[in-house]
Amino acid sequence: QSVLTQPPSVSAAPGQKVTISCSGSSSNIGNNYVSWYQHLPGTAPKLLIYDNNKRPSGISDRFSGSKSGTSATLDITGLQTGDEGDYYCGTWDSSLTAVIFGGGTKLTVL
Amino acid sequence: EVQLLESGGGLVQPGGSLRLSCAASGFTFSNYAMSWVRQAPGKGLDWVSVIFGSGGNTLYTDSVKGRFTISRDNSKNTLYLQMSSLRGEDTAVYYCAKGLGTIAVLDSWGQGTPVTVSS
């Protein structure tokens, strides 16, 4: 069971918007930056968002992140079939002295 | 362009050992912390270990402490993971990943190398 809690799955139609949540505690999200990763089938994981809301070069502005208290969210707008895959939040846990990930959310674009 | 290429995975018996390698290119290797992250079949991402750029400091997840050793050779731009006393629960695809300034942000990942622990 992951320290960070994500919904197992979300779904939406092409062109729509989806939000993925990530819930933690004061030892992780509450006092550290959050990152989001995309893991598409058969590919290497990719960094989408870091420091709560920053996008690396080359990442579409369809992806955005935010954080409030001990929770974070990833928004994906203008959904495309190519967005189907698994999405993970990640952060540092000061109590565990470890990098931690959420359990992952499977996105289905209907 | 950053490239990370893992190798060394395979089938090993419980209690056995294996050494993974990750060849890095496209960036100044010694300037960045490097991590190993694994994904067991049907499971999510699981951080294993990190080594800072100088190689002087390392951290491990609790389940591998005392069994795995992370190291790096900055002259060869290569990251290693020495795994011993392997267990069935270590079966996973192992990815190496480059840190982005901080160890908690992994901005480039390799394609992974599979490790199967089974008799």
Side-chain angles (χ1 to χ4, degrees), chain A residues 40-106:
Chain A
L40 304 180
T43 70
K46 177 193 291 187
L47 176 67
L48 291 178
I49 298 290
Y50 68 100
D51 289 359
N52 303 332
N53 55 20
K54 297 178 182 175
R55 281 187 305 275
S57 174
I59 298 300
S60 170
D61 59 5
R62 296 189 301 110
F63 298 94
S64 63
S66 63
K67 188 185 98 167
S68 178
T70 59
S71 294
T73 60
L74 173 70
D75 289 328
I76 310 173
T77 59
L79 279 171
Q80 303 172 0
T81 55
D83 295 331
E84 284 199 332
D86 298 319
Y87 292 80
Y88 297 88
C89 57
T91 188
W92 176 255
D93 191 292
S94 307
S95 295
L96 298 173
T97 57
V99 176
I100 57 173
F101 294 101
T105 299
K106 183 175 183 61

Side-chain angles (χ1 to χ4, degrees), chain B residues 22-36:
Chain B
C22 172
S25 62
F27 64 103
T28 304
F29 183 69
S30 59
N31 285 355
Y32 294 92
M34 297 293 296
S35 282
W36 287 98

Side-chain angles (χ1 to χ4, degrees), chain B residues 4-25:
Chain B
L4 300 170
L5 183 60
E6 303 94 337
S7 61
L11 174 64
V12 60
Q13 293 188 341
S17 298
L18 208 58
R19 188 177 85 155
L20 307 183
S21 299
C22 172
S25 62

Side-chain angles (χ1 to χ4, degrees), chain B residues 35-92:
Chain B
S35 282
W36 287 98
V37 178
R38 64 186 177 183
Q39 184 175 33
K43 303 294 185 180
L45 300 177
D46 179 29
W47 176 81
V48 174
S49 181
V50 64
I51 185 168
F52 289 78
S54 64
N57 290 320
T58 59
L59 293 169
Y60 299 89
T61 190
D62 284 348
S63 63
V64 308
K65 285 178 182 176
R67 301 189 300 121
F68 290 12
T69 301
I70 191 171
S71 63
R72 64 193 296 161
D73 186 335
N74 287 341
S75 69
K76 295 182 178 179
N77 291 348
T78 302
L79 174 73
Y80 303 100
L81 186 67
Q82 178 68 48
M83 305 185 294
S84 61
S85 302
L86 282 162
R87 307 166 181 166
E89 54 264 38
D90 296 318
T91 294

